Amino acid sequence: MVVAGASAEVTRSTRDNPVRGATLTLREVSHHFDLDGQPLPVLDRISLRISRGEFVALLGPSGCGKSTLLRLVAGLNAPSAGSLLVDGEVIDGPDPSRVVVFQDPTLYPWRTVWNNVALGPEARGLLGTHRERIEDALRLVGLTGFANAYPHQLSGGMSQRAALARALVNDPKLLILDEPLGQLDSLTRITMQSELVSLWQRVGFTALLVTHDVEESLFLSSRVVVLSERPAQIRAEVVNTRPYPRHRGDPHLAELRHEVFARLGLDATW
Amino acid sequence: MSSIADEVRSGPKPASGFLASPAALSLIGGLAAAAAWCGVAAITALWPDKPESDWDYTGAFAALCAAVGLALVLAAIAGVRFTRMRRVRQAVPWLLALALFVAAWEVITAKLGWLPLPFFPPPQAILEVIIDDWTRLGEGTIASLRLLATGYLIGAAIGFVAGVAIGWSRHASYWIHPVLRFVGPLPATAWLPLAFFVFPTSFSASIFLIALATGFPVTVLTWSGVAGVNSAYYDIARTLGASQRFLVLKVAVPAAMPHVFVGLFMGLGTSFAVLVVAEMLGVKAGLGWYLQWAQGWAAYANMYAALLTMALLCSGLITLLFRLRDRLLSWQKGLVRW
């Protein structure tokens, strides 16, 4: 089950929904920041291929550069070296087909939930034709009754759902999730994990999730990419063929968890 | 069956409850305030003015106080029936204090003559000015308002645009920022001598000065508002396909609005000061000029009337700006203390 190395052939997970997502290819991507004139390497020759409709989790110690990698995929920053391709085309800037959901919901406090969700269509001048889709997105995340609420009136889980609706209304081919459940309490988190899986199964986007929660990565993704400490390199890939929806008590997941902890060098405490 | 009906008929409250009910409290408070104002009216009318003084409007002033008292009686009685009128109750302590103040003022000036004239006229003298000279006061108010509104709106608009430009564009920041740093802290009134000979009319010169006084705080605060916008807001909008225009108008500006309003308040405060100085020194109209004129003729009652009008005008404008903020920034209500 464990496939080490970056260029490994991807095992497709078993799914029976329509697949509309994009493929993502990372070729020898390296990145560094300038810190007082000194280059600080963050990513070291990351190569990865994500198939259409796959759910991949990036797992690594905090501060290893996971979020930087996501910003490169989103097109918010350009890599120092290497190239990133979506459906075979080089990423040269942000695009609504690749939407990010951040750890902080970052809803605009001056807009109602409805208007926050409408942000993407409005920015592209499509508000007139997309009203129905905004309603659909709100329904999808269960916030129909809160369309006119302001963000400060929402709970953490509801805010993150609104942020998810704001992303999904753009019909993304690639949904980039930057620890989206990191700030939620554990109960809300468990609910939202299941909701994420069912959304992904229904909508059919490709998902790239950054997390430092091993259980979350195994519950959600079909492949866990384990990253090393900064500068991040791919240390291992753990493929998870368990069908969705998964069960947290599944003994196979426990085995995989042991596997992942070993890859992270944390198996001594197991 | 019958016992339930009896209970409903007799009502849940015991008889002593009425005195403690909000309706009764507002009635008692309103009547007390009314009595105080009727008292002021009685003192004014029945206690003769100091001999050899000639206040023509003593009777009119007494009538005005009596009218206030009567209005309070009506409001107090209406409060029993209409909940909205019960707000009068909140004003009762102030109404009592004001009655006391006016009574003391009336007694010290008109009745006993303890304060030197013409510097401290009695209230009826100010009422006299308001009745006899209201046309000039009204014209002055309109002239001041026109000058202030023109200068303030120009200054606020330029300040807002400059602030957004500095906060957004590196080029704009490079050129505008040093000018702002160098010229901005200079009080607008320091430009007064220059402005009055550079500009064709004293009116346009005053507009320039008021705009300058308004523009500085609005620019600085708009700028700091735009510069302080959470960068994640931009990331979100960019990934959703926003253009530069959208980022400025739909992200930076609304996010900076709370700061902009602080600038608008500060600008309004300084613009009042500049307005009065400009009117006193150059413009031959407006309340500032009226003040100056009244002082020249030792018409101190006119001066007090003008000050009163000016206070009403300024606080009215501030209230208006608060209302505008409450409308535009209602989303902040759950986030900050108002």
Side-chain angles (χ1 to χ4, degrees), chain B:
Chain B
M1 236 5 224
S2 67
S3 68
I4 293 170
D6 284 346
E7 258 180 40
V8 170
R9 215 173 296 136
S10 64
K13 272 183 194 165
S16 65
F18 177 74
L19 280 179
S21 70
L25 287 175
S26 102
L27 179 67
I28 294 165
L31 289 179
W37 279 94
C38 290
V40 178
I43 291 172
T44 310
L46 303 177
W47 185 341
D49 287 346
K50 196 185 174 205
E52 82 262 3
S53 65
D54 53 342
W55 307 117
D56 296 335
Y57 281 74
T58 303
F61 183 65
L64 180 68
C65 293
V68 170
L70 192 66
L72 286 170
V73 170
L74 291 176
I77 291 169
V80 176
R81 185 109 176 72
F82 305 103
T83 330
R84 278 186 52 159
M85 296 300 289
R86 284 184 203 161
R87 277 185 296 183
V88 173
R89 194 185 146 199
Q90 287 177 359
V92 164
W94 262 108
L95 287 167
L96 289 171
L98 273 177
L100 211 64
F101 170 75
V102 172
W105 179 13
E106 174 69 29
V107 168
I108 291 171
T109 52
K111 308 303 180 192
L112 299 171
W114 286 355
L115 289 174
L117 287 170
F119 308 107
F120 299 102
Q124 53 262 53
I126 291 165
L127 182 67
E128 182 176 348
V129 171
I130 291 171
I131 291 172
D132 289 353
D133 207 23
W134 70 269
T135 45
R136 242 184 318 171
L137 272 173
E139 278 166 16
T141 308
I142 289 168
S144 288
L145 204 57
R146 200 161 72 98
L147 187 58
L148 185 73
T150 316
Y152 182 75
L153 291 178
I154 291 174
I158 292 175
F160 177 74
V161 171
V164 172
I166 301 173
W168 190 255
S169 144
R170 201 159 290 170
H171 283 291
S173 172
Y174 179 81
W175 289 108
I176 304 175
H177 188 206
V179 178
L180 197 69
R181 277 291 273 277
F182 186 67
V183 177
L186 196 64
T189 41
W191 293 89
L192 209 112
L194 183 71
F196 278 124
F197 77 77
V198 168
F199 282 86
T201 60
S202 58
F203 187 76
S204 54
S206 305
I207 285 176
F208 166 75
L209 295 173
I210 293 167
L212 200 66
T214 310
F216 178 58
V218 174
T219 308
V220 171
L221 276 140
T222 305
W223 165 35
S224 84
V226 170
V229 176
N230 185 350
S231 68
Y233 289 163
Y234 296 129
D235 287 344
I236 291 283
R238 282 175 62 207
T239 59
L240 297 178
S243 60
Q244 286 283 310
R245 201 183 127 84
F246 189 90
L247 292 181
V248 176
L249 297 179
K250 300 286 181 138
V251 184
V253 167
M257 248 4 212
H259 276 84
V260 173
F261 267 96
V262 176
L264 288 174
F265 279 112
M266 290 170 62
L268 194 57
T270 46
S271 74
F272 292 149
V274 175
L275 170 77
V276 174
V277 173
E279 283 178 341
M280 281 180 165
L281 294 181
V283 188
K284 293 272 175 283
L287 289 171
W289 173 78
Y290 189 97
L291 268 180
Q292 183 88 335
W293 169 86
Q295 201 245 350
W297 288 96
Y300 286 91
N302 294 58
M303 211 179 75
Y304 288 114
L307 275 175
L308 195 68
T309 315
M310 213 181 263
L312 286 174
L313 180 72
C314 295
S315 70
L317 288 173
I318 291 277
T319 307
L320 208 65
L321 193 56
F322 265 113
R323 289 276 160 81
L324 185 68
R325 183 201 66 163
D326 292 357
R327 268 188 79 88
L328 285 178
L329 300 185
S330 59
W331 57 267
Q332 269 200 309
K333 264 185 187 152
L335 300 171
V336 295
R337 256 183 78 101
W338 281 53

Side-chain angles (χ1 to χ4, degrees), chain A residues 152-175:
Chain A
H152 69 80
Q153 296 167 309
L154 304 182
S155 68
M158 281 154 79
S159 297
Q160 202 52 275
R161 274 196 211 125
L164 214 56
R166 180 178 60 187
L168 293 175
V169 79
N170 303 287
D171 205 5
K173 290 178 168 173
L174 175 60
L175 190 64

